[in-house]
């Protein structure tokens, strides 16, 4: 048996937390031989709900769970953390636009980033899920000056999985047959699902789907899926978001074996994306290191979509520049 790793989850008593913790505890994220110590953070009003979650985790008797810490103190939650899922943040309400959400949630991530900086392992892997996740990750990263910026990422895997699901449904094949579709940009409705390298059962996706469907209905379905879920379920995506968070962290932890996946990471100028923007790129992971696949041909349509995301994320960055 390996020594246990410490996994911090914020917003642990929320909807995504309720699905995510069971996947981590069962071994589906870090592997069936990797014990975990769960370090769960909530704000004080969430602590009674978190107590209930912890009771249920104990009642699930997961052999891989060596300890559970439930706290409202970030300094405790991030102590010696090897991996962090930053889920906790304020959800957008009807009276808020995106700019209001950024202003409301930004300060959470300065405190979180500082606590991670001061207490987590120096090679910690941080995944930001709480929205607006790209800019929240940027703030957390900027608030952790002692850590390398490669410790921070934001989640666009749900968008990737949604895109793969739509391609599979359209062709009538299991989703496992779909490979190498990925997302550019922001986790927002500007994001761009790119099929230029994707294959379905070994055949290039560009030979299977006509471009009017790809640029029309497919793009719209993926971009507006979050709203469609809310309309249908009366609540936002939770289990699929948790599943995507597990996929993202598992790939970061174990590697992608050559598969291309999507992760939003601090740009080093790849594809003309300004340095420092937390931008989703096509990546592969090897030995715990994320590498951008930087030699793809980008057509005019994709270039225009990348630029839209650069503009949106630059505007978000400007809106929080006092926090960076
Ligand atoms: P919930 O409102 O169910 O849960 C959020 C939890 O976070 C609550 O229990 C709350 O008490 C806690 N919280 C709030 N501020 C906190 C803080 N400063 N420290 C610790 N905990 C805090 O929301 P849920 O459905 O779980 O969604 C969580 C976040 O994920 C939201 O920001 C949501 O927008 C975002 N999402 C991101 C997705 C992505 O693909 N990146 C997709 C799903 C989801 O929309």
């Amino acid at each position: 048996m390996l020594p246990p790793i410490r996994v911090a989850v914020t917003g642990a008593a929320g909807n995504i937390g309720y699905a995510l913790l069971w996947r981590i505890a069962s071994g589906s994220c870090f592997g069936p031989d990797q014990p975990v110590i769960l370090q769960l953070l909530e704000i004080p009003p969430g602590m009674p709900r978190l107590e209930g979650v912890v009771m249920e985790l104990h009642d699930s008797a997961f052999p891989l769970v060596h300890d559970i810490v439930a706290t409202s103190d970030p300094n405790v939650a991030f102590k010696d953390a090897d991996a962090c899922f930053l889920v906790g943040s304020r959800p957008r309400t009807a009276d808020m636009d995106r700019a209001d959400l950024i202003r409301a949630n930004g300060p959470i991530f300065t405190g979180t980033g500082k606590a991670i900086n001061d207490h987590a392992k120096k090679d910690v892997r941080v995944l930001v899920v709480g929205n607006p996740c790209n800019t929240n990750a940027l703030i957390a990263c900027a608030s952790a000056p002692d850590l390398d910026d490669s410790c921070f990422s934001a989640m666009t895997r749900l968008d990737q999985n949604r895109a793969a699901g739509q391609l599979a449904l359209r062709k009538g094949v299991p989703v496992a047959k779909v490979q190498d579709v990925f997302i550019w940009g922001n986790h927002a409705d500007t994001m761009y699902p790119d099929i230029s390298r994707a294959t379905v059962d070994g055949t290039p996706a560009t030979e299977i789907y006509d471009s009017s469907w790809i640029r029309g209905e497919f793009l719209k379905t993926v971009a507006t899926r979050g709203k469609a879920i809310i309309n249908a379920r009366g609540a936002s995506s939770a289990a699929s978001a948790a599943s995507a968070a597990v996929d993202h962290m598992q790939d970061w932890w174990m590697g992608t074996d050559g598969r291309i996946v999507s992760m939003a990471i601090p740009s080093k100028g790849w594809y003309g994306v300004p340095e420092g923007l937390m931008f989703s790129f096509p990546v592969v992971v090897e030995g715990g290191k994320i590498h951008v696949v930087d030699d793809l041909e980008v057509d005019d349509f994709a270039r225009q979509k990348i630029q839209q995301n650069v503009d949106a994320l630059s505007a978000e960055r400007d809106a929080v520049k006092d926090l960076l």
Side-chain angles (χ1 to χ4, degrees):
M1 239 332 155
L2 297 162
I5 56 167
R6 293 178 179 272
V7 181
V9 179
T10 74
N15 288 312
I16 294 175
Y18 196 66
L20 177 61
L21 294 173
W22 269 259
R23 298 282 304 278
I24 297 171
S26 69
S28 28
C29 188
F30 298 100
D33 302 318
Q34 179 57 70
V36 292
I37 295 171
L38 297 173
Q39 304 189 158
L40 311 180
L41 182 71
E42 260 297 340
I43 46 177
M47 287 307 286
R49 276 183 293 121
L50 184 57
E51 248 173 66
V53 170
V54 171
M55 285 158 71
E56 280 204 82
L57 281 168
H58 284 303
D59 295 350
S60 301
F62 286 114
L64 290 173
V65 175
H66 280 208
D67 196 9
I68 304 173
V69 177
T71 179
S72 58
D73 180 351
N75 299 329
V76 174
F78 297 115
K79 182 95 189 107
D80 296 326
D82 297 279
C84 305
F85 293 85
L86 306 186
V87 182
S89 59
R90 191 183 149 173
R92 185 154 143 187
T93 45
D95 57 335
M96 294 170 98
D97 62 19
R98 199 169 168 87
D100 295 331
L101 186 70
I102 291 168
R103 291 303 317 167
N105 280 332
I108 294 177
F109 289 84
T110 53
T112 304
K114 186 175 179 337
I116 292 173
N117 183 72
D118 294 349
H119 299 287
K121 299 251 174 74
K122 291 297 172 219
D123 60 350
V124 63
R125 287 166 223 196
V126 180
L127 168 60
V128 180
V129 175
N131 278 323
C133 63
N134 296 55
T135 295
N136 289 340
L138 186 73
I139 295 168
C141 181
S143 308
D146 301 335
L147 299 182
D148 197 274
D149 64 3
S150 62
C151 295
F152 290 85
S153 66
M155 187 169 95
T156 50
R157 184 57 170 267
L158 179 55
D159 306 288
Q160 175 190 318
N161 288 351
R162 287 167 172 166
Q166 291 306 307
L167 295 174
L169 282 172
R170 178 88 170 174
K171 181 80 170 72
V173 295
V175 73
K177 302 279 187 197
V178 179
Q179 293 283 314
D180 296 344
V181 58
F182 64 87
I183 303 296
W184 294 104
N186 196 5
H187 170 65
D189 50 16
T190 51
M191 60 86 230
Y192 179 54
D194 190 325
I195 65 148
S196 61
R197 283 289 283 265
T199 58
V200 179
D201 212 3
T203 305
T206 47
E207 292 174 17
I208 298 175
Y209 308 95
D210 63 67
S211 69
S212 62
W213 181 74
I214 288 293
R215 292 180 181 185
E217 194 185 327
F218 168 72
L219 181 55
K220 186 166 172 225
T221 302
V222 177
T224 59
R225 191 67 160 183
K227 287 184 197 108
I229 304 274
I230 292 174
N231 289 341
R233 223 171 70 86
S236 64
S237 324
S240 57
S243 206
V246 167
D247 290 343
H248 178 124
M249 189 61 87
Q250 185 187 58
D251 281 343
W252 200 354
W253 203 260
M254 301 195 181
T256 61
D257 204 16
R259 278 176 299 115
I260 296 177
V261 298
S262 322
M263 293 183 182
I265 56 171
S267 175
K268 300 277 182 253
W270 302 290
Y271 296 97
V273 175
E275 194 151 338
L277 276 193
M278 199 61 76
F279 201 90
S280 181
F281 290 103
V283 304
V284 293
V285 182
E286 210 185 319
K289 299 274 176 257
I290 300 170
H291 304 280
V292 170
V293 180
D294 60 1
D295 60 351
L296 301 184
E297 268 183 36
V298 174
D299 64 21
D300 287 347
F301 189 75
R303 189 148 303 282
Q304 185 200 328
K305 291 288 177 192
I306 291 170
Q307 190 56 46
Q308 269 177 16
N309 282 280
V310 166
D311 293 345
L313 282 168
S314 302
E316 288 188 18
R317 180 166 69 175
D318 286 349
V320 297
K321 60 175 178 292
D322 56 316
L323 302 178
L324 299 176

